[in-house]
Amino acid sequence: MFYVINGEDAPDSLEKRLIARPAHLERIKALQDEGRLILAGPYPAIDNPDPGPAGFSGSLIVAEFVSLEAAKSWAEADPYVTTGVYSKVTVKPFRKVLPG
C-alpha cells in the first residue's frame, strides 16, 4: 500500500536541512531504486522553486510500504527527523487513483 509522509520543518532549520540533505536523498533514492517511490520533494517557503535563504516549510514523500507501522518506522529514522529539520511528521495511508 502507498503512504504519504508529510514533514513540517522546524523554524530556522535551513542549515540543518542542507547538512542532512545528502543522507536524506540517499534513503529516498533507495526507495526509488526498489520501485517503491511515487514522488518526493520539498515545499518552498515562498512561491519560487529556488527559495534561497527563505528555505522550505517541509517535504512530501509518497511511497509504498508493507504497513503503516513500516512507513512510520521509515519516516522516524529519516535524517531530517533525527537532526531536527522536521518538527512534525505525519504518515497516512494513501490510495492512488490518477494517473492510472
Side-chain angles (χ1 to χ4, degrees):
M1 180 156 182
F2 296 118
Y3 296 88
V4 169
I5 300 170
N6 186 66
E8 297 178 31
D9 282 20
D12 302 314
S13 62
L14 181 58
E15 186 174 333
K16 289 179 183 178
R17 177 183 268 271
L18 295 175
I19 292 167
R21 187 171 189 265
H24 170 75
L25 290 179
E26 186 176 311
R27 294 181 84 237
I28 294 173
K29 177 81 168 97
L31 289 175
Q32 182 178 14
D33 291 347
E34 295 166 6
R36 298 170 43 204
L37 182 67
I38 300 299
L39 65 91
Y43 303 122
I46 60 173
D47 190 13
N48 189 312
D50 182 6
F56 300 90
S57 62
S59 303
L60 173 72
I61 299 168
V62 180
E64 185 175 19
F65 293 91
V66 297
S67 66
L68 179 59
E69 293 75 24
K72 286 181 178 180
S73 178
W74 187 93
E76 289 168 4
D78 190 84
Y80 281 4
V81 172
T82 61
T83 63
V85 174
Y86 292 156
S87 61
K88 179 181 178 185
V89 176
T90 306
V91 181
K92 295 181 179 183
F94 178 75
R95 191 179 105 191
K96 183 178 177 234
V97 175
L98 295 171

